[in-house]
Amino acid sequence: MTVATSTQVQLASRPTGWPTAENFSIVTVELDDLAPGEVRVANDFLSVDPYMRGRMNDVKSYTPPYALGETMTGGAVGRVVASAADSVKVGDTVVHQLGWRDVAQGDAAGFRVVPVVPGVPTSAYLGVLGMTALTAYVGLLEIAGLREGDTVFVSGAAGAVGSMVGQIARLKGAGRVVGSAGTAEKVALLTDRYGFDAAFNYKDAPVMDQLAQAAPGGIDVYFDNVGGDHLEAALGAFNDGGRAALCGAISQYNATGPAAGPRNMANIVTRGLMLKGFTVGNYVQHFPAFMADMTGWLTSGQVVFDETVVDGIENSVEAFLGLMRGENTGKMVVRTTSAG
Amino acid sequence: MTVATSTQVQLASRPTGWPTAENFSIVTVELDDLAPGEVRVANDFLSVDPYMRGRMNDVKSYTPPYALGETMTGGAVGRVVASAADSVKVGDTVVHQLGWRDVAQGDAAGFRVVPVVPGVPTSAYLGVLGMTALTAYVGLLEIAGLREGDTVFVSGAAGAVGSMVGQIARLKGAGRVVGSAGTAEKVALLTDRYGFDAAFNYKDAPVMDQLAQAAPGGIDVYFDNVGGDHLEAALGAFNDGGRAALCGAISQYNATGPAAGPRNMANIVTRGLMLKGFTVGNYVQHFPAFMADMTGWLTSGQVVFDETVVDGIENSVEAFLGLMRGENTGKMVVRTTSAG
């Protein structure tokens, strides 16, 4: 009788600065027989996300740090290959949070059965139909409180979250949508494919100058994926009563020292600004409303999405580093060999 | 027939760094006869406030900058000495925003008649019964959204706003109230007179270290009057979901270059923090609720207040600079000679 195994990527040591392959180990473990109520899932796709960098550090946060020697958890989607649970049957497609492993096993309560939508890859449940796009939706509507006619600025706008922010902003009544990205190709994508009104390459000139040109009337909402000089530029461009949803600061995740803060914090007082950070896990109550909106937008073709797919669980770390370097367009996922 | 005159302090040039007497001029102007609907007021007290420093710069803000050659506007209280308006009669005590002048004159709509409370000086309308305490009330309850049991940290806590924040926090259910000030005498006042649970002198040791000691369980609300290292310390001490009301940044008002921002902005994301700046003028709709609460607290002795009084309109600039240097305890006001 064949013993079932699972190949997994574990955090072996905490990175200082940029993570390297040496911070991780790949192990293959034997799986126990299913206990009553458990399911076994062959994963198709694993999610790599910027927030994972923060969890590699041992710091206080809403989301606890990864433990050393444990498998990297995170979003994943796959097919049920064995089930000892009444609620889930073999062949079901499920989404779960067990992360970087080719085979996942555990109590059925940790797996959410999702419908297979014809023409939509199941990887969409890690992006446009998952936590990634929910992050954009919640950040823009609940955290920043988008209002009709607002000028919206999004950093990291060609990424999985950013490209959704821009499209949702338009669909929810923004007056003008401006985005930044790090290559000419991405900048073209923003205006040509995602419907941004203006976009710029932050490597071309100071963000503050380019933002002033792209949003001459100032901005009302800023969705921050980048931090650093982007946040400072937004604070400088805000109209009175401006609101920022702080989602991430990818420019600073691999910094080894404290990152310099914006030098124009005084604008928060004088212009009555609000900055609010959030972690999507605390806002899952908005998932039904999000799914209703997003399913409609996808069906009608009002939202488009892109994915960057890396093959092989053994390349998960490289995929994550590529994400950190901005090599992805849209959602970065790893296709496990079990996806066949 | 005597011609009525008014002695006024005007902004003559924009200060770079610390203002000096040379940035102001004192002029005495002749007043026109009252037009129908106008009143003439002999001021008793003028308000000097930290926010006035910002208005001396020519920068974009909710509150427009002072114009050069115009009289410094701001809160003042006085007695009506002549009236051509039905709604206001000679002898009434009125509050207005015409600022640093011994005699104010204008349309009655710009003057609010207030009751004279036995035992309470009319200067209270510039502090505990005026915009100053409303600032504390709005910032704590509306901006920071104080909740039962919160640990609250207030910087500049012995000042006019700070001393109110601490007392209102206790009365509205805070679990622990911590304050910082700049002298040992002020620190003693915080715990002995204003009811703070803990207080420290920010000049004694790094704010971050002293705050960690004073609030070992972390903080939930921060009321910022100071900015700089105080704001950075608060960002470091916040519990998940912490909220900051940014009222001012007196530590940076006289800086000649851009002020360094907090180096731990990443905590805003990871701990789900909110920072919100405000200018009290946008929240005057809360004035009736504030007055109902505050009148009750004063009558029952649950709120105490202090004033630092400087005599003579010609000393207005010096009073303002003393405020900037932290020489006041509680509300800083100028008593004009007309107060007799």
Side-chain angles (χ1 to χ4, degrees):
Chain A
M1 181 185 162
T2 316
V3 176
T5 60
S6 171
T7 299
Q8 312 184 349
V9 182
Q10 301 183 339
L11 186 66
S13 60
R14 301 202 182 280
T16 303
W18 281 83
T20 66
E22 285 66 46
N23 296 122
F24 301 87
S25 56
I26 299 182
V27 300
T28 299
V29 300
E30 292 189 0
L31 296 172
D32 292 334
D33 291 339
L34 288 186
E38 287 192 333
V39 296
R40 183 174 298 159
V41 172
N43 284 331
D44 296 324
F45 296 98
L46 314 177
S47 187
V48 294
D49 298 280
Y51 79 86
M52 293 173 165
R53 178 63 189 85
R55 294 192 61 195
M56 295 174 195
N57 299 330
D58 190 17
V59 294
K60 181 178 173 183
S61 172
Y62 256 132
T63 314
Y66 290 120
L68 293 181
E70 289 189 7
T71 299
M72 294 279 297
T73 52
V77 61
R79 285 159 294 113
V80 176
V81 293
S83 177
D86 295 339
S87 59
V88 179
K89 58 183 195 302
V90 171
D92 279 351
T93 293
V94 292
V95 173
H96 62 89
Q97 288 293 319
L98 291 176
W100 296 8
R101 60 187 89 206
D102 62 356
V103 179
Q105 182 169 313
D107 192 277
F111 297 81
R112 180 168 56 91
V113 178
V114 294
V116 174
V117 183
V120 179
T122 60
S123 53
Y125 286 106
L126 304 180
V128 71
L129 291 175
M131 287 299 129
T132 301
L134 178 63
T135 299
Y137 188 89
V138 162
L140 190 61
L141 305 181
E142 300 299 322
I143 306 297
L146 179 74
R147 297 175 195 151
E148 192 87 16
D150 276 347
T151 292
V152 176
F153 173 47
V154 192
S155 57
V161 172
S163 60
M164 289 298 136
V165 173
Q167 295 181 78
I168 296 170
R170 288 215 72 92
L171 289 163
K172 291 288 190 181
R176 184 173 177 80
V177 182
V178 174
S180 69
T183 69
E185 292 70 26
K186 289 181 181 178
V187 169
L189 206 58
L190 292 182
T191 50
D192 299 351
R193 179 161 161 79
Y194 299 138
F196 283 67
D197 296 290
F200 59 85
N201 182 342
Y202 68 86
K203 295 171 180 167
D204 285 349
V207 178
M208 199 167 279
D209 299 345
Q210 295 195 81
L211 180 56
Q213 200 154 24
I219 66 172
D220 305 296
V221 163
Y222 173 48
F223 193 106
D224 189 19
N225 293 305
V226 173
D229 55 353
H230 275 83
L231 179 53
E232 184 170 284
L235 290 178
F238 266 128
N239 296 318
D240 288 349
R243 292 143 277 138
L246 307 192
C247 178
I250 200 166
S251 73
Q252 302 176 346
Y253 286 164
N254 295 307
T256 49
R263 290 163 296 182
N264 50 2
M265 295 285 286
N267 291 354
I268 299 176
V269 180
T270 55
R271 300 184 194 172
L273 308 180
M274 188 209 60
L275 274 59
K276 190 169 181 181
F278 72 108
T279 301
V280 71
N282 294 313
Y283 295 88
V284 289
Q285 69 271 28
H286 298 288
F287 197 74
F290 156 73
M291 279 300 270
D293 271 344
M294 186 55 80
T295 309
W297 292 331
L298 280 176
T299 306
S300 62
Q302 291 176 283
V303 161
V304 296
F305 66 99
D306 290 294
E307 293 181 341
T308 301
V309 179
V310 171
D311 271 301
I313 189 170
E314 69 279 9
N315 294 319
S316 300
V317 173
E318 191 45 45
F320 174 75
L321 292 174
L323 174 75
M324 289 277 111
R325 291 189 293 260
E327 292 170 1
N328 59 304
T329 297
K331 178 65 187 156
M332 183 78 120
V333 294
V334 173
R335 183 160 45 198
T336 62
T337 47
S338 73
Chain B
M1 179 186 162
T2 315
V3 175
T5 61
S6 171
T7 298
Q8 312 184 349
V9 181
Q10 301 183 339
L11 186 66
S13 59
R14 301 203 182 278
T16 303
W18 282 83
T20 66
E22 284 67 46
N23 296 123
F24 302 88
S25 56
I26 298 182
V27 301
T28 297
V29 301
E30 292 189 1
L31 295 171
D32 291 334
D33 291 340
L34 288 186
E38 286 191 335
V39 296
R40 182 174 299 162
V41 172
N43 285 331
D44 296 323
F45 296 98
L46 315 177
S47 187
V48 294
D49 299 280
Y51 80 86
M52 292 173 165
R53 178 61 189 87
R55 294 191 63 193
M56 295 175 195
N57 299 330
D58 190 16
V59 294
K60 181 178 171 183
S61 171
Y62 257 132
T63 314
Y66 291 119
L68 293 181
E70 289 191 5
T71 299
M72 294 279 298
T73 52
V77 62
R79 286 158 294 112
V80 176
V81 293
S83 176
D86 295 338
S87 58
V88 179
K89 59 183 193 302
V90 171
D92 280 351
T93 294
V94 292
V95 173
H96 62 90
Q97 288 293 321
L98 292 177
W100 297 6
R101 61 187 87 208
D102 62 355
V103 179
Q105 182 169 315
D107 193 278
F111 297 79
R112 180 168 56 90
V113 179
V114 294
V116 174
V117 183
V120 178
T122 59
S123 54
Y125 286 106
L126 305 181
V128 71
L129 292 176
M131 287 298 129
T132 301
L134 178 64
T135 299
Y137 188 88
V138 161
L140 190 61
L141 305 182
E142 299 300 321
I143 306 297
L146 179 73
R147 297 174 196 152
E148 191 87 15
D150 276 349
T151 293
V152 176
F153 173 47
V154 192
S155 58
V161 172
S163 60
M164 289 299 136
V165 172
Q167 295 182 79
I168 296 171
R170 286 215 73 92
L171 289 163
K172 290 288 190 180
R176 184 172 177 80
V177 182
V178 174
S180 70
T183 69
E185 292 69 27
K186 288 180 182 179
V187 169
L189 207 57
L190 292 182
T191 50
D192 299 351
R193 178 162 162 80
Y194 299 138
F196 284 67
D197 296 290
F200 59 86
N201 183 342
Y202 68 86
K203 294 172 180 167
D204 285 348
V207 178
M208 198 167 282
D209 299 344
Q210 296 195 79
L211 180 55
Q213 202 154 24
I219 66 172
D220 305 296
V221 163
Y222 174 49
F223 193 107
D224 190 19
N225 292 306
V226 172
D229 55 353
H230 274 83
L231 179 54
E232 184 170 284
L235 290 177
F238 266 128
N239 296 318
D240 288 350
R243 291 142 278 138
L246 306 192
C247 178
I250 200 167
S251 72
Q252 303 175 347
Y253 286 163
N254 294 307
T256 49
R263 290 163 296 182
N264 50 3
M265 294 287 285
N267 291 354
I268 299 176
V269 180
T270 56
R271 302 185 194 171
L273 308 179
M274 189 210 59
L275 274 59
K276 190 169 181 181
F278 73 108
T279 301
V280 71
N282 294 313
Y283 296 88
V284 288
Q285 69 271 27
H286 299 287
F287 198 74
F290 156 73
M291 279 299 271
D293 271 345
M294 187 55 82
T295 309
W297 293 329
L298 280 177
T299 306
S300 62
Q302 292 176 282
V303 161
V304 295
F305 66 98
D306 290 294
E307 294 182 338
T308 301
V309 179
V310 171
D311 271 301
I313 189 168
E314 69 279 9
N315 294 319
S316 300
V317 173
E318 191 46 44
F320 174 75
L321 292 174
L323 174 74
M324 289 277 111
R325 290 189 294 259
E327 292 170 1
N328 59 303
T329 296
K331 178 65 187 155
M332 184 77 122
V333 294
V334 173
R335 182 160 45 198
T336 62
T337 47
S338 73

